[in-house]
Structure formats: C-alpha cells, structure tokens
Amino acid sequence: MYGDLAYKFDIEEVRPYIHENAVGFFWVDDLNIHASITTLQKLNFKIQEMAYWDIDKKLPGTFTTRQCRSMVVATKGNAPKPTDFKLDSIVYEHEMEKPAQKPQYYAERIQLMYSGYPVLEIHDPKFKYLENNYLFDEIQGETDGEK
C-alpha cells in the first residue's frame, strides 16, 4: 500500500482490499499524528521504520518549524521484506505544486522493492503515481460491477 493518512477514508471500506500480509508506506498527517497512528492500529499495521521528505521550505508548526513530511513503513502479518531495493531514509525535493502530492521517487522505489505485487494507492483520487498501481475507487468500482 501507498497511502496518505491526511486523506480521510473509511477504514471499513478499505479493510477488505488489504492483504493479511501487507507492507504499507504511509504519509503521516503532520497536523494530526494521533489520528494517523490510530488509523494504522485499526488496520492492524505495525510501524517498522520512518522516512522523511525534506520539502526545502520551513512551515510554521506549534513547537517546530516543519521542514519535513514524515512517512512510516508499516507491516501487517508476515509482510514480505525487500531484498534488492530500499528507500532512502531522507529525500530532498522541493514541495510539489499540489500539496496532496508527494514526490514520484517513493512510488517508483516501492515498485522496484515489490515489483511482483499489486500496489494500492490511497490518497486524493485526482492523480495516480504509477499507471500499474490501483486506486481504491478503481478497485471498488470493479467489485461493484461498474468496470
């Protein structure tokens, strides 16, 4: 999975589409970290590692000047581990024009790490990172008989 936890989605609608042995790369909602952690717990994911996107800009925060976006790598069940390719723990790139969009680097790297597995993207459905990935709306439409 590749998801943005700031994007509000119905956990119960998404749950049936998540494999019992899954790896998730989730962008944490920097303004509501508690809600992000709660969502991961409800989906039965356990945080394993973190990665950061340095957006090359300082934004006001309550206690910090926020210059990074945080991503957690979380697993569920007996999730497959990558063997050849891994994410860099920090990626430096200017913030995207569309605030909901993250650097293409992460989607491409996940594809290399798990080339034989389908990737479900959960975020604003106005864009898709990689054409061979799946958006939740596409899968839901297929199961509802629309496609």
Side-chain angles (χ1 to χ4, degrees):
M1 286 186 68
Y2 184 43
D4 187 346
L5 297 175
Y7 176 69
K8 305 302 178 217
F9 59 92
D10 185 335
I11 292 171
E12 294 309 316
E13 281 186 3
V14 172
R15 187 185 311 275
Y17 302 101
I18 301 173
H19 195 274
E20 61 189 51
N21 298 313
V23 178
F25 299 84
F26 298 101
W27 291 99
V28 175
D29 183 351
D30 293 329
L31 301 176
N32 197 345
I33 294 170
H34 180 72
S36 292
I37 301 301
T38 300
T39 298
L40 291 175
Q41 289 171 336
K42 287 181 179 178
L43 291 172
N44 296 320
F45 277 94
K46 293 183 178 159
I47 296 172
Q48 302 297 327
E49 294 185 28
M50 295 190 74
Y52 303 93
W53 167 31
D54 182 341
I55 62 172
D56 190 36
K57 181 189 311 187
K58 290 186 179 182
L59 301 171
T62 304
F63 298 99
T64 63
T65 54
R66 298 178 317 133
Q67 189 173 335
C68 293
R69 301 280 188 251
S70 305
M71 173 193 287
V72 295
V73 181
T75 59
K76 181 178 174 182
N78 296 316
K81 291 186 171 72
T83 53
D84 297 330
F85 300 98
K86 296 187 179 181
L87 292 175
D88 289 335
S89 59
I90 299 174
V91 170
Y92 174 83
E93 189 173 320
H94 294 291
E95 187 169 31
M96 314 310 282
E97 290 180 23
K98 299 175 186 174
Q101 197 168 346
K102 308 301 188 265
Q104 189 74 17
Y105 164 85
Y106 292 101
E108 291 170 351
R109 208 68 190 166
I110 292 165
Q111 181 66 38
L112 287 172
M113 292 167 75
Y114 296 100
S115 60
Y117 296 89
V119 176
L120 174 61
E121 295 184 17
I122 297 181
H123 52 73
D124 184 344
K126 294 182 184 111
F127 62 89
K128 189 184 212 182
Y129 290 99
L130 295 177
E131 193 55 40
N132 56 335
N133 288 353
Y134 297 92
L135 292 174
F136 176 67
D137 291 348
E138 292 172 334
I139 293 173
Q140 191 177 34
E142 287 178 17
T143 59
D144 291 342
E146 295 173 8
K147 289 188 178 180

PDB file of all heavy atoms in Angstrom, residues 78-114:
ATOM      1  N   ASN A  78       2.749 -11.486   8.001  1.00  0.00           N
ATOM      2  CA  ASN A  78       4.101 -11.872   7.558  1.00  0.00           C
ATOM      3  C   ASN A  78       4.437 -11.127   6.274  1.00  0.00           C
ATOM      4  O   ASN A  78       4.528 -11.726   5.205  1.00  0.00           O
ATOM      5  CB  ASN A  78       4.189 -13.383   7.340  1.00  0.00           C
ATOM      6  CG  ASN A  78       3.992 -14.143   8.636  1.00  0.00           C
ATOM      7  OD1 ASN A  78       4.549 -13.767   9.659  1.00  0.00           O
ATOM      8  ND2 ASN A  78       3.194 -15.192   8.591  1.00  0.00           N
ATOM      9  N   ALA A  79       4.608  -9.843   6.394  1.00  0.00           N
ATOM     10  CA  ALA A  79       4.841  -8.999   5.228  1.00  0.00           C
ATOM     11  C   ALA A  79       6.170  -9.332   4.567  1.00  0.00           C
ATOM     12  O   ALA A  79       7.161  -9.581   5.254  1.00  0.00           O
ATOM     13  CB  ALA A  79       4.827  -7.532   5.652  1.00  0.00           C
ATOM     14  N   PRO A  80       6.190  -9.353   3.223  1.00  0.00           N
ATOM     15  CA  PRO A  80       7.448  -9.632   2.521  1.00  0.00           C
ATOM     16  C   PRO A  80       8.429  -8.476   2.691  1.00  0.00           C
ATOM     17  O   PRO A  80       8.050  -7.313   2.649  1.00  0.00           O
ATOM     18  CB  PRO A  80       7.011  -9.772   1.061  1.00  0.00           C
ATOM     19  CG  PRO A  80       5.732  -9.009   0.965  1.00  0.00           C
ATOM     20  CD  PRO A  80       5.081  -9.100   2.315  1.00  0.00           C
ATOM     21  N   LYS A  81       9.692  -8.816   2.899  1.00  0.00           N
ATOM     22  CA  LYS A  81      10.731  -7.794   3.038  1.00  0.00           C
ATOM     23  C   LYS A  81      11.427  -7.614   1.693  1.00  0.00           C
ATOM     24  O   LYS A  81      11.634  -8.578   0.963  1.00  0.00           O
ATOM     25  CB  LYS A  81      11.743  -8.222   4.097  1.00  0.00           C
ATOM     26  CG  LYS A  81      11.176  -8.212   5.490  1.00  0.00           C
ATOM     27  CD  LYS A  81      12.272  -8.500   6.506  1.00  0.00           C
ATOM     28  CE  LYS A  81      11.789  -8.296   7.903  1.00  0.00           C
ATOM     29  NZ  LYS A  81      10.880  -9.283   8.411  1.00  0.00           N
ATOM     30  N   PRO A  82      11.812  -6.383   1.365  1.00  0.00           N
ATOM     31  CA  PRO A  82      12.532  -6.172   0.103  1.00  0.00           C
ATOM     32  C   PRO A  82      13.940  -6.754   0.195  1.00  0.00           C
ATOM     33  O   PRO A  82      14.536  -6.776   1.271  1.00  0.00           O
ATOM     34  CB  PRO A  82      12.571  -4.650  -0.026  1.00  0.00           C
ATOM     35  CG  PRO A  82      12.493  -4.154   1.373  1.00  0.00           C
ATOM     36  CD  PRO A  82      11.636  -5.146   2.111  1.00  0.00           C
ATOM     37  N   THR A  83      14.455  -7.221  -0.938  1.00  0.00           N
ATOM     38  CA  THR A  83      15.793  -7.792  -0.921  1.00  0.00           C
ATOM     39  C   THR A  83      16.806  -6.895  -1.622  1.00  0.00           C
ATOM     40  O   THR A  83      17.907  -6.699  -1.120  1.00  0.00           O
ATOM     41  CB  THR A  83      15.806  -9.178  -1.601  1.00  0.00           C
ATOM     42  OG1 THR A  83      15.234  -9.051  -2.894  1.00  0.00           O
ATOM     43  CG2 THR A  83      15.021 -10.187  -0.777  1.00  0.00           C
ATOM     44  N   ASP A  84      16.451  -6.336  -2.770  1.00  0.00           N
ATOM     45  CA  ASP A  84      17.423  -5.579  -3.552  1.00  0.00           C
ATOM     46  C   ASP A  84      17.331  -4.073  -3.381  1.00  0.00           C
ATOM     47  O   ASP A  84      18.342  -3.402  -3.299  1.00  0.00           O
ATOM     48  CB  ASP A  84      17.249  -5.900  -5.042  1.00  0.00           C
ATOM     49  CG  ASP A  84      17.528  -7.358  -5.339  1.00  0.00           C
ATOM     50  OD1 ASP A  84      18.347  -7.950  -4.624  1.00  0.00           O
ATOM     51  OD2 ASP A  84      16.921  -7.899  -6.280  1.00  0.00           O
ATOM     52  N   PHE A  85      16.144  -3.548  -3.367  1.00  0.00           N
ATOM     53  CA  PHE A  85      15.956  -2.100  -3.371  1.00  0.00           C
ATOM     54  C   PHE A  85      15.360  -1.647  -2.049  1.00  0.00           C
ATOM     55  O   PHE A  85      14.526  -2.331  -1.470  1.00  0.00           O
ATOM     56  CB  PHE A  85      15.040  -1.683  -4.524  1.00  0.00           C
ATOM     57  CG  PHE A  85      15.570  -2.058  -5.869  1.00  0.00           C
ATOM     58  CD1 PHE A  85      15.130  -3.190  -6.514  1.00  0.00           C
ATOM     59  CD2 PHE A  85      16.537  -1.277  -6.478  1.00  0.00           C
ATOM     60  CE1 PHE A  85      15.623  -3.558  -7.760  1.00  0.00           C
ATOM     61  CE2 PHE A  85      17.045  -1.630  -7.717  1.00  0.00           C
ATOM     62  CZ  PHE A  85      16.588  -2.767  -8.361  1.00  0.00           C
ATOM     63  N   LYS A  86      15.764  -0.477  -1.601  1.00  0.00           N
ATOM     64  CA  LYS A  86      15.213   0.111  -0.378  1.00  0.00           C
ATOM     65  C   LYS A  86      15.032   1.604  -0.588  1.00  0.00           C
ATOM     66  O   LYS A  86      15.640   2.199  -1.478  1.00  0.00           O
ATOM     67  CB  LYS A  86      16.131  -0.158   0.806  1.00  0.00           C
ATOM     68  CG  LYS A  86      16.228  -1.646   1.103  1.00  0.00           C
ATOM     69  CD  LYS A  86      16.985  -1.935   2.346  1.00  0.00           C
ATOM     70  CE  LYS A  86      16.984  -3.452   2.534  1.00  0.00           C
ATOM     71  NZ  LYS A  86      17.658  -3.881   3.701  1.00  0.00           N
ATOM     72  N   LEU A  87      14.207   2.210   0.248  1.00  0.00           N
ATOM     73  CA  LEU A  87      14.004   3.660   0.215  1.00  0.00           C
ATOM     74  C   LEU A  87      15.174   4.362   0.879  1.00  0.00           C
ATOM     75  O   LEU A  87      15.744   3.847   1.839  1.00  0.00           O
ATOM     76  CB  LEU A  87      12.764   4.054   1.017  1.00  0.00           C
ATOM     77  CG  LEU A  87      11.393   3.674   0.535  1.00  0.00           C
ATOM     78  CD1 LEU A  87      10.364   4.079   1.582  1.00  0.00           C
ATOM     79  CD2 LEU A  87      11.076   4.353  -0.779  1.00  0.00           C
ATOM     80  N   ASP A  88      15.487   5.557   0.412  1.00  0.00           N
ATOM     81  CA  ASP A  88      16.396   6.407   1.176  1.00  0.00           C
ATOM     82  C   ASP A  88      15.615   6.931   2.367  1.00  0.00           C
ATOM     83  O   ASP A  88      14.426   7.236   2.256  1.00  0.00           O
ATOM     84  CB  ASP A  88      16.887   7.577   0.323  1.00  0.00           C
ATOM     85  CG  ASP A  88      17.848   7.131  -0.766  1.00  0.00           C
ATOM     86  OD1 ASP A  88      18.487   6.073  -0.595  1.00  0.00           O
ATOM     87  OD2 ASP A  88      17.956   7.842  -1.780  1.00  0.00           O
ATOM     88  N   SER A  89      16.268   7.043   3.522  1.00  0.00           N
ATOM     89  CA  SER A  89      15.553   7.487   4.715  1.00  0.00           C
ATOM     90  C   SER A  89      15.200   8.974   4.656  1.00  0.00           C
ATOM     91  O   SER A  89      14.256   9.414   5.297  1.00  0.00           O
ATOM     92  CB  SER A  89      16.363   7.194   5.978  1.00  0.00           C
ATOM     93  OG  SER A  89      17.608   7.860   5.909  1.00  0.00           O
ATOM     94  N   ILE A  90      15.947   9.742   3.867  1.00  0.00           N
ATOM     95  CA  ILE A  90      15.626  11.154   3.662  1.00  0.00           C
ATOM     96  C   ILE A  90      15.765  11.465   2.180  1.00  0.00           C
ATOM     97  O   ILE A  90      16.773  11.140   1.564  1.00  0.00           O
ATOM     98  CB  ILE A  90      16.566  12.080   4.460  1.00  0.00           C
ATOM     99  CG1 ILE A  90      16.436  11.810   5.959  1.00  0.00           C
ATOM    100  CG2 ILE A  90      16.260  13.548   4.157  1.00  0.00           C
ATOM    101  CD1 ILE A  90      17.410  12.570   6.818  1.00  0.00           C
ATOM    102  N   VAL A  91      14.728  12.083   1.620  1.00  0.00           N
ATOM    103  CA  VAL A  91      14.754  12.518   0.226  1.00  0.00           C
ATOM    104  C   VAL A  91      14.560  14.025   0.213  1.00  0.00           C
ATOM    105  O   VAL A  91      13.672  14.557   0.890  1.00  0.00           O
ATOM    106  CB  VAL A  91      13.647  11.816  -0.601  1.00  0.00           C
ATOM    107  CG1 VAL A  91      13.516  12.440  -1.971  1.00  0.00           C
ATOM    108  CG2 VAL A  91      13.960  10.345  -0.724  1.00  0.00           C
ATOM    109  N   TYR A  92      15.401  14.699  -0.529  1.00  0.00           N
ATOM    110  CA  TYR A  92      15.348  16.154  -0.629  1.00  0.00           C
ATOM    111  C   TYR A  92      14.742  16.527  -1.966  1.00  0.00           C
ATOM    112  O   TYR A  92      15.245  16.146  -3.018  1.00  0.00           O
ATOM    113  CB  TYR A  92      16.772  16.713  -0.510  1.00  0.00           C
ATOM    114  CG  TYR A  92      16.866  18.197  -0.735  1.00  0.00           C
ATOM    115  CD1 TYR A  92      16.596  19.079   0.297  1.00  0.00           C
ATOM    116  CD2 TYR A  92      17.213  18.701  -1.979  1.00  0.00           C
ATOM    117  CE1 TYR A  92      16.684  20.447   0.090  1.00  0.00           C
ATOM    118  CE2 TYR A  92      17.301  20.068  -2.192  1.00  0.00           C
ATOM    119  CZ  TYR A  92      17.034  20.929  -1.157  1.00  0.00           C
ATOM    120  OH  TYR A  92      17.111  22.277  -1.353  1.00  0.00           O
ATOM    121  N   GLU A  93      13.620  17.225  -1.936  1.00  0.00           N
ATOM    122  CA  GLU A  93      12.968  17.673  -3.160  1.00  0.00           C
ATOM    123  C   GLU A  93      12.030  18.815  -2.797  1.00  0.00           C
ATOM    124  O   GLU A  93      11.380  18.779  -1.759  1.00  0.00           O
ATOM    125  CB  GLU A  93      12.179  16.511  -3.773  1.00  0.00           C
ATOM    126  CG  GLU A  93      11.657  16.812  -5.149  1.00  0.00           C
ATOM    127  CD  GLU A  93      11.037  15.583  -5.807  1.00  0.00           C
ATOM    128  OE1 GLU A  93      11.590  14.488  -5.664  1.00  0.00           O
ATOM    129  OE2 GLU A  93      10.001  15.753  -6.452  1.00  0.00           O
ATOM    130  N   HIS A  94      11.957  19.807  -3.664  1.00  0.00           N
ATOM    131  CA  HIS A  94      11.041  20.917  -3.411  1.00  0.00           C
ATOM    132  C   HIS A  94       9.621  20.402  -3.288  1.00  0.00           C
ATOM    133  O   HIS A  94       9.249  19.426  -3.938  1.00  0.00           O
ATOM    134  CB  HIS A  94      11.107  21.957  -4.535  1.00  0.00           C
ATOM    135  CG  HIS A  94      12.416  22.665  -4.612  1.00  0.00           C
ATOM    136  ND1 HIS A  94      12.841  23.550  -3.656  1.00  0.00           N
ATOM    137  CD2 HIS A  94      13.410  22.599  -5.521  1.00  0.00           C
ATOM    138  CE1 HIS A  94      14.031  24.014  -3.983  1.00  0.00           C
ATOM    139  NE2 HIS A  94      14.405  23.446  -5.114  1.00  0.00           N
ATOM    140  N   GLU A  95       8.813  21.073  -2.454  1.00  0.00           N
ATOM    141  CA  GLU A  95       7.426  20.656  -2.271  1.00  0.00           C
ATOM    142  C   GLU A  95       6.686  20.740  -3.606  1.00  0.00           C
ATOM    143  O   GLU A  95       6.919  21.640  -4.403  1.00  0.00           O
ATOM    144  CB  GLU A  95       6.743  21.537  -1.227  1.00  0.00           C
ATOM    145  CG  GLU A  95       5.366  21.045  -0.869  1.00  0.00           C
ATOM    146  CD  GLU A  95       4.795  21.751   0.344  1.00  0.00           C
ATOM    147  OE1 GLU A  95       5.114  22.916   0.564  1.00  0.00           O
ATOM    148  OE2 GLU A  95       4.012  21.120   1.053  1.00  0.00           O
ATOM    149  N   MET A  96       5.787  19.787  -3.824  1.00  0.00           N
ATOM    150  CA  MET A  96       5.036  19.712  -5.066  1.00  0.00           C
ATOM    151  C   MET A  96       4.055  20.887  -5.156  1.00  0.00           C
ATOM    152  O   MET A  96       3.662  21.465  -4.154  1.00  0.00           O
ATOM    153  CB  MET A  96       4.251  18.401  -5.130  1.00  0.00           C
ATOM    154  CG  MET A  96       5.031  17.152  -4.748  1.00  0.00           C
ATOM    155  SD  MET A  96       6.609  16.952  -5.549  1.00  0.00           S
ATOM    156  CE  MET A  96       6.127  16.365  -7.122  1.00  0.00           C
ATOM    157  N   GLU A  97       3.647  21.209  -6.384  1.00  0.00           N
ATOM    158  CA  GLU A  97       2.673  22.275  -6.571  1.00  0.00           C
ATOM    159  C   GLU A  97       1.330  21.910  -5.955  1.00  0.00           C
ATOM    160  O   GLU A  97       0.642  22.749  -5.403  1.00  0.00           O
ATOM    161  CB  GLU A  97       2.502  22.581  -8.060  1.00  0.00           C
ATOM    162  CG  GLU A  97       3.721  23.244  -8.661  1.00  0.00           C
ATOM    163  CD  GLU A  97       3.559  23.541 -10.138  1.00  0.00           C
ATOM    164  OE1 GLU A  97       2.407  23.651 -10.609  1.00  0.00           O
ATOM    165  OE2 GLU A  97       4.580  23.662 -10.811  1.00  0.00           O
ATOM    166  N   LYS A  98       0.963  20.646  -6.080  1.00  0.00           N
ATOM    167  CA  LYS A  98      -0.277  20.173  -5.456  1.00  0.00           C
ATOM    168  C   LYS A  98       0.097  19.665  -4.068  1.00  0.00           C
ATOM    169  O   LYS A  98       0.858  18.703  -3.947  1.00  0.00           O
ATOM    170  CB  LYS A  98      -0.891  19.033  -6.276  1.00  0.00           C
ATOM    171  CG  LYS A  98      -1.266  19.429  -7.681  1.00  0.00           C
ATOM    172  CD  LYS A  98      -1.746  18.215  -8.439  1.00  0.00           C
ATOM    173  CE  LYS A  98      -1.985  18.572  -9.888  1.00  0.00           C
ATOM    174  NZ  LYS A  98      -2.308  17.404 -10.683  1.00  0.00           N
ATOM    175  N   PRO A  99      -0.402  20.277  -2.998  1.00  0.00           N
ATOM    176  CA  PRO A  99       0.026  19.903  -1.656  1.00  0.00           C
ATOM    177  C   PRO A  99      -0.217  18.440  -1.298  1.00  0.00           C
ATOM    178  O   PRO A  99       0.525  17.864  -0.528  1.00  0.00           O
ATOM    179  CB  PRO A  99      -0.795  20.807  -0.741  1.00  0.00           C
ATOM    180  CG  PRO A  99      -1.369  21.859  -1.599  1.00  0.00           C
ATOM    181  CD  PRO A  99      -1.356  21.357  -3.010  1.00  0.00           C
ATOM    182  N   ALA A 100      -1.238  17.816  -1.868  1.00  0.00           N
ATOM    183  CA  ALA A 100      -1.536  16.421  -1.531  1.00  0.00           C
ATOM    184  C   ALA A 100      -0.563  15.459  -2.204  1.00  0.00           C
ATOM    185  O   ALA A 100      -0.437  14.324  -1.788  1.00  0.00           O
ATOM    186  CB  ALA A 100      -2.965  16.078  -1.936  1.00  0.00           C
ATOM    187  N   GLN A 101       0.132  15.919  -3.247  1.00  0.00           N
ATOM    188  CA  GLN A 101       1.002  15.030  -3.999  1.00  0.00           C
ATOM    189  C   GLN A 101       2.392  14.971  -3.373  1.00  0.00           C
ATOM    190  O   GLN A 101       2.917  15.961  -2.895  1.00  0.00           O
ATOM    191  CB  GLN A 101       1.094  15.503  -5.447  1.00  0.00           C
ATOM    192  CG  GLN A 101       1.624  14.456  -6.374  1.00  0.00           C
ATOM    193  CD  GLN A 101       1.427  14.839  -7.820  1.00  0.00           C
ATOM    194  OE1 GLN A 101       0.685  15.752  -8.135  1.00  0.00           O
ATOM    195  NE2 GLN A 101       2.096  14.139  -8.707  1.00  0.00           N
ATOM    196  N   LYS A 102       2.966  13.797  -3.381  1.00  0.00           N
ATOM    197  CA  LYS A 102       4.299  13.570  -2.838  1.00  0.00           C
ATOM    198  C   LYS A 102       5.249  13.275  -3.994  1.00  0.00           C
ATOM    199  O   LYS A 102       4.813  13.032  -5.111  1.00  0.00           O
ATOM    200  CB  LYS A 102       4.273  12.394  -1.847  1.00  0.00           C
ATOM    201  CG  LYS A 102       3.225  12.496  -0.747  1.00  0.00           C
ATOM    202  CD  LYS A 102       3.393  13.734   0.100  1.00  0.00           C
ATOM    203  CE  LYS A 102       2.505  13.773   1.310  1.00  0.00           C
ATOM    204  NZ  LYS A 102       1.276  14.477   1.178  1.00  0.00           N
ATOM    205  N   PRO A 103       6.557  13.271  -3.755  1.00  0.00           N
ATOM    206  CA  PRO A 103       7.498  13.015  -4.858  1.00  0.00           C
ATOM    207  C   PRO A 103       7.279  11.659  -5.524  1.00  0.00           C
ATOM    208  O   PRO A 103       6.960  10.672  -4.861  1.00  0.00           O
ATOM    209  CB  PRO A 103       8.866  13.046  -4.171  1.00  0.00           C
ATOM    210  CG  PRO A 103       8.658  13.831  -2.933  1.00  0.00           C
ATOM    211  CD  PRO A 103       7.247  13.547  -2.503  1.00  0.00           C
ATOM    212  N   GLN A 104       7.468  11.620  -6.821  1.00  0.00           N
ATOM    213  CA  GLN A 104       7.334  10.397  -7.612  1.00  0.00           C
ATOM    214  C   GLN A 104       8.352   9.345  -7.158  1.00  0.00           C
ATOM    215  O   GLN A 104       8.123   8.146  -7.304  1.00  0.00           O
ATOM    216  CB  GLN A 104       7.542  10.741  -9.093  1.00  0.00           C
ATOM    217  CG  GLN A 104       7.233   9.639 -10.052  1.00  0.00           C
ATOM    218  CD  GLN A 104       5.749   9.389 -10.212  1.00  0.00           C
ATOM    219  OE1 GLN A 104       4.925  10.220  -9.855  1.00  0.00           O
ATOM    220  NE2 GLN A 104       5.405   8.248 -10.742  1.00  0.00           N
ATOM    221  N   TYR A 105       9.448   9.789  -6.587  1.00  0.00           N
ATOM    222  CA  TYR A 105      10.517   8.893  -6.135  1.00  0.00           C
ATOM    223  C   TYR A 105       9.975   7.737  -5.300  1.00  0.00           C
ATOM    224  O   TYR A 105      10.361   6.584  -5.505  1.00  0.00           O
ATOM    225  CB  TYR A 105      11.549   9.679  -5.317  1.00  0.00           C
ATOM    226  CG  TYR A 105      12.464   8.793  -4.505  1.00  0.00           C
ATOM    227  CD1 TYR A 105      13.598   8.239  -5.080  1.00  0.00           C
ATOM    228  CD2 TYR A 105      12.185   8.497  -3.171  1.00  0.00           C
ATOM    229  CE1 TYR A 105      14.431   7.399  -4.347  1.00  0.00           C
ATOM    230  CE2 TYR A 105      13.012   7.669  -2.434  1.00  0.00           C
ATOM    231  CZ  TYR A 105      14.132   7.123  -3.023  1.00  0.00           C
ATOM    232  OH  TYR A 105      14.946   6.290  -2.294  1.00  0.00           O
ATOM    233  N   TYR A 106       9.100   8.030  -4.358  1.00  0.00           N
ATOM    234  CA  TYR A 106       8.627   6.990  -3.443  1.00  0.00           C
ATOM    235  C   TYR A 106       7.812   5.923  -4.168  1.00  0.00           C
ATOM    236  O   TYR A 106       8.003   4.735  -3.959  1.00  0.00           O
ATOM    237  CB  TYR A 106       7.822   7.604  -2.294  1.00  0.00           C
ATOM    238  CG  TYR A 106       8.695   8.416  -1.380  1.00  0.00           C
ATOM    239  CD1 TYR A 106       8.735   9.794  -1.472  1.00  0.00           C
ATOM    240  CD2 TYR A 106       9.506   7.798  -0.434  1.00  0.00           C
ATOM    241  CE1 TYR A 106       9.559  10.539  -0.647  1.00  0.00           C
ATOM    242  CE2 TYR A 106      10.333   8.533   0.397  1.00  0.00           C
ATOM    243  CZ  TYR A 106      10.358   9.913   0.277  1.00  0.00           C
ATOM    244  OH  TYR A 106      11.180  10.640   1.089  1.00  0.00           O
ATOM    245  N   ALA A 107       6.905   6.334  -5.029  1.00  0.00           N
ATOM    246  CA  ALA A 107       6.095   5.364  -5.767  1.00  0.00           C
ATOM    247  C   ALA A 107       6.978   4.486  -6.660  1.00  0.00           C
ATOM    248  O   ALA A 107       6.785   3.273  -6.731  1.00  0.00           O
ATOM    249  CB  ALA A 107       5.040   6.086  -6.601  1.00  0.00           C
ATOM    250  N   GLU A 108       7.950   5.098  -7.301  1.00  0.00           N
ATOM    251  CA  GLU A 108       8.847   4.338  -8.174  1.00  0.00           C
ATOM    252  C   GLU A 108       9.703   3.369  -7.366  1.00  0.00           C
ATOM    253  O   GLU A 108       9.946   2.237  -7.788  1.00  0.00           O
ATOM    254  CB  GLU A 108       9.714   5.291  -8.984  1.00  0.00           C
ATOM    255  CG  GLU A 108       8.915   6.058 -10.021  1.00  0.00           C
ATOM    256  CD  GLU A 108       9.691   7.175 -10.689  1.00  0.00           C
ATOM    257  OE1 GLU A 108      10.825   7.506 -10.239  1.00  0.00           O
ATOM    258  OE2 GLU A 108       9.166   7.742 -11.665  1.00  0.00           O
ATOM    259  N   ARG A 109      10.166   3.792  -6.220  1.00  0.00           N
ATOM    260  CA  ARG A 109      11.013   2.935  -5.381  1.00  0.00           C
ATOM    261  C   ARG A 109      10.210   1.756  -4.822  1.00  0.00           C
ATOM    262  O   ARG A 109      10.708   0.639  -4.765  1.00  0.00           O
ATOM    263  CB  ARG A 109      11.594   3.782  -4.243  1.00  0.00           C
ATOM    264  CG  ARG A 109      12.888   3.287  -3.745  1.00  0.00           C
ATOM    265  CD  ARG A 109      13.952   3.469  -4.796  1.00  0.00           C
ATOM    266  NE  ARG A 109      15.130   2.749  -4.343  1.00  0.00           N
ATOM    267  CZ  ARG A 109      16.153   2.454  -5.090  1.00  0.00           C
ATOM    268  NH1 ARG A 109      16.169   2.816  -6.335  1.00  0.00           N
ATOM    269  NH2 ARG A 109      17.171   1.803  -4.617  1.00  0.00           N
ATOM    270  N   ILE A 110       8.971   2.008  -4.415  1.00  0.00           N
ATOM    271  CA  ILE A 110       8.102   0.930  -3.918  1.00  0.00           C
ATOM    272  C   ILE A 110       7.893  -0.095  -5.026  1.00  0.00           C
ATOM    273  O   ILE A 110       7.928  -1.301  -4.786  1.00  0.00           O
ATOM    274  CB  ILE A 110       6.769   1.497  -3.398  1.00  0.00           C
ATOM    275  CG1 ILE A 110       7.013   2.325  -2.128  1.00  0.00           C
ATOM    276  CG2 ILE A 110       5.756   0.386  -3.133  1.00  0.00           C
ATOM    277  CD1 ILE A 110       5.856   3.212  -1.725  1.00  0.00           C
ATOM    278  N   GLN A 111       7.717   0.374  -6.254  1.00  0.00           N
ATOM    279  CA  GLN A 111       7.540  -0.533  -7.393  1.00  0.00           C
ATOM    280  C   GLN A 111       8.769  -1.417  -7.570  1.00  0.00           C
ATOM    281  O   GLN A 111       8.649  -2.609  -7.839  1.00  0.00           O
ATOM    282  CB  GLN A 111       7.269   0.282  -8.670  1.00  0.00           C
ATOM    283  CG  GLN A 111       7.049  -0.561  -9.896  1.00  0.00           C
ATOM    284  CD  GLN A 111       5.785  -1.390  -9.804  1.00  0.00           C
ATOM    285  OE1 GLN A 111       4.780  -0.925  -9.292  1.00  0.00           O
ATOM    286  NE2 GLN A 111       5.818  -2.602 -10.290  1.00  0.00           N
ATOM    287  N   LEU A 112       9.957  -0.854  -7.403  1.00  0.00           N
ATOM    288  CA  LEU A 112      11.187  -1.647  -7.503  1.00  0.00           C
ATOM    289  C   LEU A 112      11.298  -2.647  -6.354  1.00  0.00           C
ATOM    290  O   LEU A 112      11.727  -3.784  -6.548  1.00  0.00           O
ATOM    291  CB  LEU A 112      12.415  -0.732  -7.497  1.00  0.00           C
ATOM    292  CG  LEU A 112      12.674   0.077  -8.752  1.00  0.00           C
ATOM    293  CD1 LEU A 112      13.804   1.077  -8.516  1.00  0.00           C
ATOM    294  CD2 LEU A 112      13.005  -0.832  -9.921  1.00  0.00           C
ATOM    295  N   MET A 113      10.907  -2.214  -5.170  1.00  0.00           N
ATOM    296  CA  MET A 113      11.007  -3.076  -3.992  1.00  0.00           C
ATOM    297  C   MET A 113      10.063  -4.263  -4.073  1.00  0.00           C
ATOM    298  O   MET A 113      10.368  -5.350  -3.599  1.00  0.00           O
ATOM    299  CB  MET A 113      10.706  -2.260  -2.723  1.00  0.00           C
ATOM    300  CG  MET A 113      11.750  -1.215  -2.411  1.00  0.00           C
ATOM    301  SD  MET A 113      11.216  -0.027  -1.154  1.00  0.00           S
ATOM    302  CE  MET A 113      11.345  -0.994   0.325  1.00  0.00           C
ATOM    303  N   TYR A 114       8.878  -4.039  -4.653  1.00  0.00           N
ATOM    304  CA  TYR A 114       7.833  -5.073  -4.696  1.00  0.00           C
ATOM    305  C   TYR A 114       7.275  -5.199  -6.109  1.00  0.00           C
ATOM    306  O   TYR A 114       6.068  -5.081  -6.316  1.00  0.00           O
ATOM    307  CB  TYR A 114       6.730  -4.733  -3.691  1.00  0.00           C
ATOM    308  CG  TYR A 114       7.231  -4.758  -2.276  1.00  0.00           C
ATOM    309  CD1 TYR A 114       7.553  -3.593  -1.603  1.00  0.00           C
ATOM    310  CD2 TYR A 114       7.414  -5.975  -1.621  1.00  0.00           C
ATOM    311  CE1 TYR A 114       8.045  -3.633  -0.305  1.00  0.00           C
ATOM    312  CE2 TYR A 114       7.890  -6.020  -0.323  1.00  0.00           C
ATOM    313  CZ  TYR A 114       8.208  -4.845   0.330  1.00  0.00           C
ATOM    314  OH  TYR A 114       8.695  -4.893   1.606  1.00  0.00           O
TER     315      TYR A 114
END
